[in-house]
Amino acid sequence: MARSRRRQMAGVRKKKSECTVLLAMAEGCYDERSSKAHVRRLRQLMTAPLVTPGSAAFALLPVAGADGTVEASPLDELENTPPLDGVSLDASSLLPLYNFDFGHDLSYKDPQCLKSVTYSSFNPVPSNRRLQGDLAYYDVVLSDDRHLCVTASARGFFVNKSVVAGAGGGTALDAAHHDGWPQLGYTMVGLLSIISAAFKRNWAKLMQAHIARDPFESVPHHLTVTSWAALESSHTADVSRVEDTMSWCYGMETGSLTRDWNEEHQSCRELPMANRRERILRERTMFKISSDFVEAATQGAVAVIDRCIPPINPMDEPSAHMYVYNSIFFSYASPSKEAPDDADAVVAVTVVAVGDAATEEGLGDQATYASSNQDLIGVQMYSATETPGLYTLATAVIDYRGFRIVAQSIIPGILQGEQLGSLIYGSVDNGSKFVWNEDFHAKLSKAAALLHIKEHEIEDGAGERHRVCVPVECKGILGSDNRMYLLDLIRVTPKDPNFDESDESGSAGVLRTELLRNYYIHHTKMEASAQELKGAAAKVPVIENGVGGGSKEELKSADASEFAFNVNIVGAHKEGVVARAWKVVGEGVEADEAAVRGAGQLLGDKIIPSLVEQFKTLDISPVDGKQLTDAMHTQGINVRYLGALHTAAANVPYVRVLCEREMITRAVKHVLRGGLMRTGPSFLAASCAHVLNCLLGRVTDSKADKLKKKKTAASGKSGGNSAVELDSKGPLLSETSQSLWSVVQQQVSRRFKFTLGDDRHEILARVSPLPLLRAVCQRGGLQIRARELDLTVAHPLASEDILDIFPVTKGTIFQCKEGLEMLVAGKALMHMSNLHRAFEVLHEALHLLHHTCGPMHESTASAYSTLAMVYYHLGDYASALAYQQKGIVILEKIHGFDDPEVALGYGNMVLFSHCLHQNRRALLYMRRAEYLLRIIGGADHPDVAALYINTAMIYLDLNEIKTALRYLHRALTINESVLGSQHASTATTYHATAVALSMMKAAPLALKNQQRCHEILRDLYGDKDHRVIDSVQWLTHFTARSKIAQQSKAQIEEDISVSSHTLKPVVFAQGGVREAEKNITNGDVPSSPPPPMIGRGKLGAISGS
């Protein structure tokens, strides 16, 4: 019976395998919308593909043969391969940032397919022709200057006779089929291929060029990305561009109804999450809606600042103007440009949220500016709790031309009725009367348990007491859709006790949730035994973006009573800028205040020194200010502690440089912000260039008077004074290098409690001018022309070098939680050497991220880079190269060509190519990585030294020992200057140098370097550490080689004379010498660890996150 059953099943499987399915493409009918989209896509494809470093790396990827072995790429042997002489790219020029092509030219040089495809002046289609299927008319100019008038119809495209009539002087429309080309093409490309053989030939070449690029190059990004440096292109006449400009609606989608952002946002949050499929669908929809909202908000904010949208309250002060456009509410979050320059004297009443007419607290310039950012963080934290029945608004904060705009979705009914009638929780009069609702409070309590906010009691101005678990400034609004909205989340964590509330830095300063978690862990360690500590630490949820990363059940099971803080306690009894009508009452007030102050004390006593130690050991090695602040935020350290971090990092010079550069950058950003909002459109470029020249050059006289005379002479007598007053030159042109530096010193002292020195040139030389220029442009939203820069002259930049001012946006973009959790788990498994399990988990994470966030997302790029490292550890170096290259292409599109993670990716590709014995290709990647690192963080950085050591190993494999020694000398110089002479990385460099000198048969010098390496390691780790034991074996090996070499004294003297000209007495370090050992070893010597990798521990740097 069983055999019969198996035979029947086998027969069924055989029949199923023989079943075939045929799929056929059926032609559909065009409508006006689809025909326009078809032509728009044709215009996009006719653009020659851009040559990016990522696409060049794609062309260099090795090819897998039929038997699975790696075959040489056709581009392996390049005629114009750079000489192997150790020459680096010029880091003072910005041109290699865009045109570095790894030694081969990928630019598209074939003739263009068409000259133009434009919307014809015969449009719109007459009613009689519309009844015959005509949808639109297009004027086409072929490459041979033939003019055609093409009709887009419901069935396809054809050439009409109007082109002949137009050539004779432009008569009436003749929509009949052309006698010479009566064919009907279903696509425009098919029609033009019939008409023009040149178009058909050039179109095939163009498509082949597109196919040769990485597929991700053609995937659009969900947000507009503008780089701080760009190549200046010639502005030629383009009718198609004119059409797009005339139909531009400042972020509003044309041809469709206005999107109700709030309804989309809230309805999507209400989607079911019962199974994995529903969760993926919900997360994909949330990501799409939040990304679209941030993009629309950015474009709308630019239109608001450019005065393209009228305010809804034109009779109020300009700083209080509010705007409604594209179903988005816009308001200013910065003081009026008529406000005085002294921020301490400013009491700005600024609109922060839809539910507010204005903030109740009178705050200074910095506090008002920062409160909008705190509100955005609060919205993100409460949104991540996923509390049923509690809703937040889609929010974005946009900085542009010195103004800060807050964009929010609109609560239904809030603009039609009175706010007081819909207020169900909170106060609008600074606590004089607090409204309380039981249902709303119950929902807030659930969110507070996840955010570790303690429920406490307050007393309002009327003497009534209420139990609250939110900051007093928060408000609950009941919309006309019966949803409960939470607004004004500017203080979700306790205020920072280390900064006085009357101080500008502390008036809006709050502690970070990561610090509160660290305080809880520290408190647990102090009370628990060593055995109990392990179990207690397992109960502490991991916080991601301020919210517990574990499941809700895990968070609820944690002891919330110990891990909860009173967010209203610090500063409640102090005299602020505006007196408060409420106060904190009840039992435990002193204990709550002690807990908050304990967290503040822990920050200075433990957290900052611990972070400095991680910087010193290179567990974390930030390259630029963004990575530095990200590392600080991960530990719970606010940016205002940059001065304290600089002081604590007395023995870590590269961290001190990063701190100084970041403080100067932020100070200059605020100078630009205050000046640009008072500058007219005609003086924007001149003002930006002048500030940059004052910072980097030597400006001794003001430019304001010169420009004033020039503008007056150009305007003539008939211009009057009104236009000149509106188009003000602003205050920035009056600055000089000395005056600007004085302002920067004041800003740094006030914001970071740090004193900058008076010697501006010494500080600029220390922080490196080019990385400082990059940081200022990125923070301030400036785009400059990419060219060769001479930053040693008095005026390095001109007004023509300022190409654009772009908006800098922060928004509530939804993240794929499940994909991120799997990505983190995969990284952890990789670090535990569970490679096969990590391989499975990371592929699953990549699949989820592709389905939710799409390929153009930093988490997707991180998954590709992490998988590249897994492939590397598994020995599949070709796949490691391919995955790392995909991660680089994604990061270049979403973060720019000079992102630190892009440099890290190229550094990893150096290692992968070296493992494939493709040394020339590895050197090309090395030069790209070195160039990027020098632009991002300067030449003196530990990551640059690690890259130099890997490069030296490549040159040793190529038997270019002298060049390898030059790179090792550079690495040693950097490590000694930025890490110190007693650092493990310095010992690594000494060891590498010893190996190179041994290959050079300079055994005495090799022994001397290894002895220095051994001394450093012994002082750091003791005699019993395995690294010290290996060093002893190396010493024995080099001693034996030295004794052998003494038998030929003449040869020794020759070796020493050659080596002495190459480097000073040095010695090697940790890695990258596996191939070298095979060449120099006759007996057993200790094995060296893998080559050093740049970006060690940098927030998951090895995995590329």
Side-chain angles (χ1 to χ4, degrees):
M1 187 68 181
R3 292 180 180 179
S4 176
R5 180 64 177 169
R6 284 197 295 269
R7 285 196 296 267
Q8 291 178 3
M9 294 299 296
V12 171
R13 285 195 297 268
K14 183 177 181 181
K15 290 180 180 179
K16 287 184 178 180
S17 62
E18 294 175 354
C19 180
T20 58
V21 178
L22 298 178
L23 299 178
M25 296 289 290
E27 296 181 354
C29 291
Y30 286 100
D31 53 25
E32 186 174 358
R33 183 183 180 91
S34 59
S35 65
K36 290 181 178 179
H38 178 87
V39 176
R40 188 181 301 111
R41 180 57 179 162
L42 173 63
R43 291 173 179 170
Q44 295 173 355
L45 291 176
M46 284 194 306
T47 304
L50 297 177
V51 180
T52 64
S55 61
F58 177 74
L60 280 173
L61 289 177
V63 180
D67 56 352
T69 59
V70 178
E71 298 179 354
S73 169
L75 299 174
D76 276 346
E77 297 299 331
L78 303 174
E79 295 180 358
N80 56 343
T81 299
L84 305 177
D85 55 0
V87 177
S88 303
L89 294 174
D90 183 13
S92 64
S93 175
L94 297 178
L95 294 176
L97 190 62
Y98 290 89
N99 59 14
F100 188 71
D101 52 7
F102 300 106
H104 58 279
D105 189 5
L106 290 177
S107 59
Y108 182 76
K109 298 183 176 64
D110 291 307
Q112 57 183 350
C113 300
L114 296 174
K115 289 191 173 180
S116 66
V117 178
T118 59
Y119 208 54
S120 175
S121 57
F122 288 116
N123 289 292
V125 177
S127 58
N128 62 319
R129 290 302 307 175
R130 185 173 295 276
L131 295 177
Q132 300 181 46
D134 291 1
L135 301 175
Y137 304 112
Y138 294 93
D139 292 333
V140 179
V141 181
L142 300 176
S143 56
D144 55 2
D145 290 331
R146 283 187 292 171
H147 292 254
L148 307 175
C149 186
V150 176
T151 299
S153 67
R155 298 174 55 196
F157 299 84
F158 64 89
V159 180
N160 59 47
K161 294 183 178 180
S162 300
V163 62
V164 180
T171 58
L173 171 69
D174 188 353
H177 284 251
H178 195 278
D179 295 333
W181 303 293
Q183 300 90 344
L184 175 70
Y186 184 70
T187 64
M188 179 78 82
V189 174
L191 175 65
L192 297 178
S193 298
I194 296 174
I195 297 173
S196 172
F199 172 86
K200 183 178 181 180
R201 181 175 59 256
N202 294 333
W203 179 262
K205 294 179 180 179
L206 181 62
M207 291 299 100
Q208 190 63 34
H210 279 288
I211 294 173
R213 300 306 193 269
D214 189 284
F216 285 160
E217 293 281 357
S218 60
V219 178
H221 185 33
H222 55 274
L223 296 176
T224 301
V225 179
T226 306
S227 176
W228 69 278
L231 297 172
E232 186 178 15
S233 58
S234 58
H235 194 73
T236 58
D238 188 350
V239 181
S240 301
R241 186 176 61 244
V242 175
E243 294 176 2
D244 295 338
T245 303
M246 296 302 294
S247 60
W248 178 246
C249 295
Y250 313 115
M252 183 182 295
E253 297 182 5
T254 57
S256 62
L257 297 176
T258 303
R259 296 178 66 173
D260 189 341
W261 296 106
N262 186 73
E263 183 60 29
E264 290 186 24
H265 182 74
Q266 312 305 343
S267 298
C268 185
R269 293 182 64 86
E270 295 170 348
L271 290 175
M273 298 184 294
N275 51 56
R276 189 177 191 184
R277 181 178 180 182
E278 291 179 348
R279 289 195 301 271
I280 292 177
L281 177 62
R282 178 181 181 272
E283 290 179 348
R284 180 195 307 167
T285 309
M286 281 295 300
F287 178 79
K288 179 67 168 61
I289 292 174
S290 60
S291 301
D292 291 348
F293 172 81
V294 171
E295 182 68 11
T298 302
Q299 297 168 2
V302 171
V304 165
I305 296 173
D306 289 339
R307 299 181 179 179
C308 299
I309 299 174
I312 60 176
N313 56 338
M315 303 305 295
D316 294 340
E317 291 293 329
S319 60
H321 280 175
M322 295 176 284
Y323 307 81
V324 175
Y325 183 76
N326 194 13
S327 297
I328 303 176
F329 182 87
F330 299 93
S331 59
Y332 286 101
S334 55
S336 171
K337 65 180 181 180
E338 288 80 12
D341 292 335
D342 187 4
D344 292 332
V346 176
V347 178
V349 180
T350 306
V351 175
V352 175
V354 175
D356 265 342
T359 54
E360 292 100 18
E361 297 189 24
L363 300 177
D365 183 6
Q366 166 66 8
T368 305
Y369 193 76
S371 61
S372 57
N373 191 49
Q374 296 295 338
D375 181 63
L376 176 63
I377 295 174
V379 170
Q380 292 173 335
M381 293 172 62
Y382 271 92
S383 298
T385 61
E386 301 285 355
T387 304
L390 189 63
Y391 299 90
T392 56
L393 300 178
T395 307
V397 177
I398 303 97
D399 294 324
Y400 177 66
R401 281 180 52 182
F403 295 93
R404 170 164 284 190
I405 295 290
V406 178
Q408 295 173 310
S409 58
I410 302 175
I411 299 178
I414 195 67
L415 297 178
Q416 287 76 31
E418 289 292 334
Q419 175 182 331
L420 293 178
S422 57
L423 180 70
I424 60 174
Y425 200 91
S427 172
V428 295
D429 51 8
N430 199 20
S432 297
K433 177 63 177 177
F434 193 91
V435 181
W436 196 85
N437 181 276
E438 184 177 356
D439 293 339
F440 197 79
H441 181 76
K443 294 177 173 59
L444 290 176
S445 299
K446 296 179 181 179
L450 299 175
L451 296 174
H452 315 293
I453 299 176
K454 183 178 181 180
E455 188 179 49
H456 53 281
E457 194 172 14
I458 65 166
E459 182 179 308
D460 60 15
E464 297 183 6
R465 294 193 174 190
H466 306 278
R467 300 290 297 177
V468 297
C469 52
V470 292
V472 178
E473 295 85 2
C474 293
K475 299 168 185 63
I477 302 294
L478 181 64
S480 60
D481 55 355
N482 290 325
R483 293 190 179 106
M484 296 180 180
Y485 294 89
L486 185 62
L487 305 178
D488 292 353
L489 302 169
I490 62 175
R491 193 167 52 82
V492 181
T493 55
K495 286 195 173 184
D496 193 341
N498 297 328
F499 284 81
D500 197 11
E501 190 180 2
S502 59
D503 185 11
E504 182 182 0
S505 300
S507 55
V510 296
L511 299 175
R512 297 189 63 87
T513 53
E514 297 89 347
L515 174 65
L516 303 182
R517 173 179 176 267
N518 287 333
Y519 174 77
Y520 174 69
I521 296 175
H522 176 75
H523 185 70
T524 305
K525 288 181 178 180
M526 295 296 291
E527 296 183 351
S529 62
Q531 186 69 22
E532 295 171 347
L533 174 61
K534 192 172 184 180
K539 296 181 181 179
V540 178
V542 177
I543 293 181
E544 186 72 26
N545 293 329
V547 180
S551 64
K552 294 182 180 179
E553 291 75 11
E554 293 172 344
L555 292 175
K556 292 178 181 178
S557 64
D559 191 353
S561 62
E562 295 186 16
F563 190 23
F565 291 84
N566 188 335
V567 296
N568 293 315
I569 192 63
V570 176
H573 305 288
K574 289 186 177 181
E575 292 293 333
V577 181
V578 175
R580 299 186 178 94
W582 57 271
K583 60 182 179 180
V584 180
V585 295
E587 299 179 356
V589 175
E590 293 78 7
D592 293 342
E593 186 170 355
V596 175
R597 295 195 179 278
Q601 184 178 1
L602 179 69
L603 179 61
D605 295 344
K606 299 291 184 180
I607 304 299
I608 292 179
S610 174
L611 181 62
V612 171
E613 185 63 24
Q614 293 182 66
F615 288 151
K616 185 177 181 180
T617 59
L618 300 182
D619 292 335
I620 304 175
S621 57
V623 181
D624 64 350
K626 183 179 183 301
Q627 288 191 334
L628 175 66
T629 54
D630 287 345
M632 293 173 63
H633 290 164
T634 303
Q635 301 295 326
I637 306 172
N638 301 88
V639 175
R640 58 181 170 273
Y641 286 93
L642 276 171
L645 180 63
H646 182 281
T647 303
N651 298 324
V652 192
Y654 84 95
V655 175
R656 292 168 67 91
V657 169
L658 286 173
C659 292
E660 289 182 2
R661 185 187 301 145
E662 185 65 13
M663 287 187 289
I664 295 173
T665 298
R666 290 176 178 268
V668 174
K669 180 191 74 171
H670 288 286
V671 172
L672 280 171
R673 176 177 64 87
L676 289 180
M677 70 169 59
R678 301 175 178 87
T679 302
S682 301
F683 297 91
L684 290 174
S687 297
C688 295
H690 183 73
V691 170
L692 295 177
N693 288 333
C694 290
L695 176 65
L696 304 173
R698 298 180 300 277
V699 179
T700 57
D701 56 344
S702 172
K703 196 176 180 181
D705 296 334
K706 297 179 181 179
L707 280 180
K708 183 177 180 180
K709 294 178 181 179
K710 184 177 179 180
K711 291 287 182 180
T712 303
S715 61
K717 295 182 179 180
S718 60
N721 293 325
S722 58
V724 176
E725 293 174 357
L726 292 175
D727 196 12
S728 171
K729 65 179 182 298
L732 296 179
L733 293 174
S734 302
E735 298 288 347
T736 63
S737 294
Q738 183 177 359
S739 63
L740 177 64
W741 190 250
S742 298
V743 175
V744 169
Q745 287 178 308
Q746 295 172 9
Q747 292 279 347
V748 170
S749 176
R750 183 167 55 189
R751 298 178 188 280
F752 307 108
K753 307 302 180 187
F754 181 78
T755 302
L756 275 178
D758 295 330
D759 193 343
R760 180 174 63 91
H761 298 288
E762 179 186 353
I763 296 177
L764 287 178
R766 186 163 60 245
V767 303
S768 301
L770 189 56
L772 179 61
L773 173 63
R774 170 184 176 270
V776 170
C777 290
Q778 287 182 334
R779 296 287 185 183
L782 305 181
Q783 185 182 70
I784 66 173
R785 180 160 56 101
R787 63 176 180 87
E788 294 185 2
L789 296 175
D790 186 1
L791 299 179
T792 62
V793 299
H795 297 80
L797 295 170
S799 300
E800 293 75 16
D801 290 323
I802 308 299
L803 299 183
D804 194 10
I805 299 179
F806 58 89
V808 180
T809 305
K810 301 175 184 177
T812 54
I813 297 182
F814 192 80
Q815 302 288 342
C816 176
K817 294 182 180 180
E818 187 173 356
L820 290 176
E821 289 173 359
M822 297 190 70
L823 178 59
V824 172
K827 292 179 181 180
L829 290 169
M830 183 188 69
H831 288 299
M832 292 187 298
S833 300
N834 192 350
L835 298 179
H836 293 284
R837 180 57 182 158
F839 180 84
E840 297 174 357
V841 173
L842 288 171
H843 268 289
E844 184 66 21
L846 183 62
H847 174 76
L848 285 175
L849 292 170
H850 262 287
H851 278 74
T852 54
C853 305
M856 291 297 113
H857 194 273
E858 58 184 355
S859 298
T860 309
S862 178
Y864 274 111
S865 300
T866 310
L867 274 169
M869 293 307 306
V870 173
Y871 276 114
Y872 162 71
H873 290 299
L874 291 173
D876 189 351
Y877 305 126
S879 297
L881 270 174
Y883 273 78
Q884 185 62 71
Q885 182 270 335
K886 291 183 181 298
I888 287 175
V889 169
I890 296 172
L891 290 171
E892 284 181 344
K893 290 200 68 173
I894 64 178
H895 288 159
F897 296 143
D898 58 339
D899 186 72
E901 296 301 329
V902 174
L904 170 64
Y906 281 115
N908 289 344
M909 291 185 76
V910 174
L911 180 63
F912 304 155
S913 298
H914 178 53
C915 293
L916 287 170
H917 305 289
Q918 298 171 341
N919 293 321
R920 292 180 178 271
R921 180 179 303 176
L923 291 176
L924 294 174
Y925 295 142
M926 181 279 301
R927 294 183 182 184
R928 180 68 181 177
E930 179 196 10
Y931 172 75
L932 295 179
L933 287 173
R934 294 175 67 182
I935 284 184
I936 297 167
D940 296 333
H941 192 275
D943 284 3
V944 180
L947 182 66
Y948 284 162
I949 294 176
N950 285 343
T951 305
M953 297 303 99
I954 297 174
Y955 279 111
L956 287 180
D957 285 349
L958 296 173
N959 204 28
E960 295 282 342
I961 302 178
K962 292 183 179 180
T963 304
L965 287 173
R966 285 202 298 270
Y967 272 102
L968 290 173
H969 177 57
R970 296 182 194 176
L972 179 66
T973 303
I974 294 173
N975 282 332
E976 286 187 333
S977 62
V978 303
L979 297 175
S981 59
Q982 295 298 117
H983 196 274
S985 294
T986 305
T988 299
T989 317
Y990 278 122
H991 172 62
T993 308
V995 174
L997 290 171
S998 179
M999 293 179 62
M1000 204 174 179
K1001 300 186 184 304
L1005 280 177
L1007 178 60
K1008 188 175 182 180
N1009 282 265
Q1010 187 61 40
Q1011 287 174 344
R1012 180 68 182 124
C1013 170
H1014 178 71
E1015 292 172 359
I1016 297 174
L1017 293 177
R1018 184 182 57 193
D1019 294 340
L1020 289 175
Y1021 306 114
D1023 294 332
K1024 297 183 179 180
D1025 188 85
H1026 68 92
R1027 286 162 289 195
V1028 180
I1029 296 174
D1030 288 345
S1031 177
V1032 171
Q1033 296 180 16
W1034 276 104
L1035 275 175
T1036 304
H1037 171 74
F1038 287 131
T1039 301
R1041 298 296 296 268
S1042 179
K1043 291 180 180 179
I1044 296 173
Q1046 287 178 359
Q1047 300 176 3
S1048 178
K1049 186 175 181 180
Q1051 182 66 31
I1052 293 175
E1053 292 176 354
E1054 180 181 355
D1055 292 337
I1056 294 177
S1057 63
V1058 172
S1059 301
S1060 62
H1061 292 291
T1062 307
L1063 40 96
K1064 61 182 182 181
V1066 282
V1067 206
F1068 199 126
Q1070 152 191 358
V1073 294
R1074 291 175 295 178
E1075 296 296 328
E1077 293 163 10
K1078 297 178 182 178
N1079 297 329
I1080 67 171
T1081 306
N1082 295 323
D1084 294 332
V1085 295
S1087 60
S1088 294
M1093 205 169 280
I1094 66 173
R1096 290 140 294 190
K1098 189 186 304 158
L1099 302 178
I1102 287 184
S1103 57
S1105 64

